Amino acid sequence: MNSVSQPRYRPALVARADQPEDEEAVPHDATDPAPPAPTAYGADRTGAPAAVGGTPLVELTRLLPGARFRVWAKLESVSPGGSIKDRSAYTMLSHAVATGAVVPGSGTVVESSSGNLGVGMAQACRAMDLRFVCVVDPRTNPQNIAIMRALGAEVHTVTERDPVTGEFQPVRIARVRELVAALPGAYWPNQYANPRNAWAHRITMKEIVEDLGRAPDYLFCTISSSGTLRGCADLIRARRLPTRVVTVDAEGSAIFRPPTGRRLIPGHGAAVRPPLYRGGLADEVLHVSDLDSLVGCRRLALREGLLLGGSSGAVATALEQLSGRIPDGATCVLMMPDRGERYLNTIYDDAWVKAQFGEVTHLWKDDGADVAENGETTGVTPC
């Protein structure tokens, strides 16, 4: 791996109540298709939020042996909370505090999360003196729940599935609404509809362009709340960058097509299309199965020495699926959302993998193995 950047602790923007509502200070509404690009998060962070952003971009030279294009990874795993969701959590909460939507010292933040955003929220709430209540479900990694609790969060777990979708997410959101109605001074950031979730990732894309020295030819990123995809795509469109956006969704997700089954690995995909999403954000959509995600993770670990989470594995597999159509000499950037230590008992545990998928270790232990031979790879869905 060759690094072109080191973590840079960029200051974060806080839209204060007394600050003029200029284009750089306050994110535009989600309906604005091409607002001006932000410059950075701002200059007044302290504590853990000061380390949010500025993640490194490193070249991957062994992930796809023989590739005639270059591959770079944006390592969000080095963020203080361990994932790309730190950016969204800080941006949404700093704006809420600045506008008085929630009051430090007495306010309560309530949010639904499959794990990573909950950790980012717990971290930001500690820094902002806010109580945090996170609603999770049985698919949430126990490690993420333990981290949230260690940071002072209260965790509520819903155990029933939505009767219509068969998913937990609608039940989590319903529980959030109940808690917000019952708790004095409660505030729901609502990652699925909050435009500041997306706005945070215009800066993520800006960092990629700056560190690479040019716009990449391809950007690969997973989708859940649509924040990362929306923010990166908005900046690409606003600056007319020649970057082709490939979004990676989970098999079983309902964002782009009717769901085909339940999802096992959390982090990407959704039970319903989030309000932040809009058509035309991605140039292509790839659907990746749980097994494909797992195999991508194991290959990243063994070939590149990167222990990353399930969404990163999905992106790595998506790159392989599309590799035959990527032109020689092209530059690809993979958005790697989180770290892998929280998956040691699942994705990186051979016994767990065998119980879920059978004997499949040959898919990553043999460098010549082709995931497609297992019959689990999936195709490309047009936008």
Side-chain angles (χ1 to χ4, degrees):
M1 294 182 294
N2 299 318
S3 175
V4 296
S5 70
Q6 297 298 323
R8 297 195 304 276
Y9 300 120
R10 295 181 169 92
L13 180 99
V14 179
R16 297 185 185 83
D18 59 350
Q19 199 173 21
E21 293 195 359
D22 57 50
E23 293 175 339
E24 295 293 340
V26 180
H28 285 244
D29 185 77
T31 59
D32 187 343
T39 56
Y41 289 123
D44 47 4
R45 288 175 295 173
T46 60
V52 174
T55 53
L57 189 70
V58 298
E59 185 170 13
L60 307 184
T61 58
R62 295 181 293 276
L63 178 61
L64 289 182
R68 295 185 297 272
F69 49 85
R70 299 180 74 179
V71 181
W72 304 84
K74 181 68 166 167
L75 295 181
E76 294 297 305
S77 58
V78 306
S79 195
S83 85
I84 196 169
K85 296 291 189 176
D86 289 359
R87 296 176 185 263
S88 298
Y90 174 75
T91 305
M92 289 188 289
L93 289 186
S94 64
H95 183 267
V97 168
T99 57
V102 65
V103 180
S106 62
T108 299
V109 174
V110 185
E111 183 60 284
S112 160
S113 174
S114 62
N116 284 331
L117 183 74
V119 172
M121 284 282 181
Q123 173 182 262
C125 283
R126 283 300 87 212
M128 299 180 194
D129 194 21
L130 295 166
R131 176 188 176 193
F132 178 50
V133 180
C134 190
V135 180
V136 302
D137 62 56
R139 293 172 61 244
T140 305
N141 286 334
Q143 293 91 338
N144 278 333
I145 293 175
I147 292 169
M148 283 186 263
R149 286 179 170 149
L151 292 170
E154 302 166 40
V155 179
H156 291 231
T157 304
V158 301
T159 57
E160 298 177 357
R161 294 181 183 269
D162 175 59
V164 177
T165 65
E167 289 280 357
F168 292 111
Q169 182 183 329
V171 181
R172 292 201 321 253
I173 293 174
R175 181 59 177 151
V176 167
R177 294 182 187 278
E178 292 173 358
L179 289 168
V180 170
L183 296 172
Y187 169 71
W188 177 27
N190 191 2
Q191 61 164 316
Y192 310 106
N194 192 325
R196 283 150 191 89
N197 177 7
W199 181 87
H201 299 294
R202 297 179 195 174
I203 296 174
T204 312
M205 188 65 206
K206 179 176 179 290
E207 291 175 9
I208 289 171
V209 174
E210 289 179 347
D211 292 345
L212 197 60
R214 56 181 288 263
D217 297 304
Y218 290 82
L219 175 72
F220 287 74
C221 67
T222 52
I223 184 171
S224 54
S225 68
S226 291
T228 303
L229 172 64
R230 176 70 185 266
C232 290
D234 278 351
L235 187 136
I236 288 169
R237 306 298 184 252
R239 292 193 173 184
R240 302 181 184 276
L241 301 179
T243 301
R244 188 169 181 81
V245 179
V246 180
T247 194
V248 183
D249 198 9
E251 285 289 351
S253 171
I255 298 176
F256 293 102
R257 65 189 188 188
T260 57
R262 291 180 178 176
R263 293 172 288 125
L264 183 64
I265 297 175
H268 57 290
V272 295
R273 176 175 286 183
L276 273 181
Y277 176 80
R278 75 162 187 265
L281 293 174
D283 296 292
E284 291 195 56
V285 178
L286 292 173
H287 282 85
V288 175
S289 72
D290 285 332
L291 179 58
D292 291 336
S293 300
L294 185 153
V295 170
C297 286
R298 300 299 283 258
R299 287 179 172 173
L300 281 165
L302 294 177
R303 296 180 184 180
E304 294 286 355
L306 290 171
L307 193 69
L308 302 174
S311 297
S312 298
V315 168
T317 294
L319 174 72
E320 182 175 15
Q321 291 179 356
L322 198 66
S323 61
R325 295 197 284 116
I326 297 175
D328 292 1
T331 300
C332 303
V333 170
L334 312 183
M335 198 76 76
M336 301 302 202
D338 67 346
R339 61 182 60 156
E341 291 90 341
R342 299 164 195 176
Y343 300 84
L344 291 177
N345 294 328
T346 54
I347 289 172
Y348 296 101
D349 185 300
D350 286 349
W352 182 89
V353 172
K354 186 174 183 179
Q356 300 295 330
F357 302 102
E359 180 52 57
V360 294
T361 57
H362 64 282
L363 294 176
W364 59 83
K365 290 185 177 178
D366 177 5
D367 281 351
D370 182 357
V371 179
E373 291 178 359
N374 192 63
E376 292 290 335
T377 53
T378 55
V380 179
T381 302
C383 299

